Amino acid sequence: MGPHALVAAGLALLHAGPGAAWLPPVRRLLPSLAGEGDPGHVALTFDDGPDPRSTPLFLDELDRLGCRATFFLLGEMLDRHPEVGRSIARAGHEVAVHGWRHDNALLTRPGRVAAEMGRA
């Protein structure tokens, strides 16, 4: 394998690496990449959120349980429903970036994911 092929393989692995965090060997090798953390904290991923219909229901239930969570939000949805995002933060929850839109990161060109994460 030539040097260009090695560089290309390395870039492909770097691009796809985070998507492999669900694999047991990767979780054992890199637990922080797999999102292992405080067992008293819930991480919720809303692939299409924040959503003005469902997010308030989750907020109400989390409040009832006295639980704080991390909400992974999409930038394009937060742009459409900023007040719903603000209500998450006002309730004491953590807001994290899930991307700008819900595209398959493994099928998009390298660099686009980073650009969209920055935009979000």
Side-chain angles (χ1 to χ4, degrees):
M1 184 180 285
H4 293 317
L6 285 173
V7 169
L11 288 173
L13 182 60
L14 182 64
H15 177 65
W22 65 273
L23 296 167
V26 175
R27 293 178 76 85
R28 283 190 295 278
L29 183 63
L30 300 166
S32 62
L33 181 64
E36 292 182 18
D38 181 352
H41 192 89
V42 178
L44 299 175
T45 300
F46 289 97
D47 290 344
D48 298 322
D51 184 278
R53 292 168 298 173
S54 64
T55 302
L57 300 174
F58 281 99
L59 291 173
D60 290 345
E61 186 63 13
L62 289 165
D63 184 53
R64 186 185 74 76
L65 295 169
C67 184
R68 295 293 163 256
T70 303
F71 285 73
F72 291 90
L73 306 177
L74 291 174
E76 71 176 351
M77 293 301 291
L78 193 54
D79 192 43
R80 288 183 202 161
H81 309 289
E83 188 52 41
V84 180
R86 286 186 198 98
S87 68
I88 294 169
R90 273 195 307 269
H93 301 287
E94 183 177 24
V95 173
V97 175
H98 185 59
W100 182 256
R101 65 175 49 99
H102 196 263
D103 292 331
N104 185 335
L106 296 177
L107 300 178
T108 190
R109 65 176 168 70
R112 180 175 170 200
V113 173
E116 288 195 1
M117 292 295 277
R119 181 180 179 196

